[in-house]
Amino acid sequence: MSTEEPEAGNPDGFVIIVDTVEHTVHDAHVTWEQVVEIAYPGQSGNPEYVFKVQYDDAASHPQSGTLVKGGHTQVERSGTTFSVLRSLVS
């Protein structure tokens, strides 16, 4: 599990699944950068890579889709899944 601390008003946090591994985040508002940092720590700003982030079972509409850099989605209390693909820039 992630070491991110949930905010005081939400002691349980939100459990998301990134590349099949559960992580707890402190807020229902989850950004592209947060998800990429969970999957590939320290690499979200690396210009050598392009990241594709797909999500499913979100609380927001649409409930599934692709997050673009700078984007965000609202997650369910538990079970929103993310898949992160990393490719080298050619």
Side-chain angles (χ1 to χ4, degrees):
M1 287 243 180
S2 173
T3 58
E4 292 183 37
E5 293 294 323
E7 59 188 27
N10 184 10
D12 297 328
F14 296 81
V15 177
I16 63 173
I17 301 165
V18 178
D19 294 335
T20 72
V21 180
E22 286 187 357
H23 297 272
T24 301
V25 293
H26 71 280
D27 194 349
H29 177 93
V30 175
T31 66
W32 175 93
E33 184 175 50
Q34 282 177 288
V35 176
V36 172
E37 281 298 315
I38 289 170
Y40 296 96
Q43 295 184 27
S44 66
N46 189 332
E48 294 179 14
Y49 298 109
V50 173
F51 297 94
K52 181 177 182 180
V53 178
Q54 295 180 298
Y55 66 93
D56 197 20
D57 297 325
S60 59
H61 295 284
Q63 291 181 315
S64 63
T66 301
L67 277 182
V68 295
K69 189 171 186 175
H72 68 275
T73 192
Q74 295 294 114
V75 298
E76 295 286 350
R77 173 71 58 196
S78 179
T80 300
T81 60
F82 294 89
S83 174
V84 183
L85 300 173
R86 180 182 69 170
S87 300
L88 279 171
V89 174
S90 40

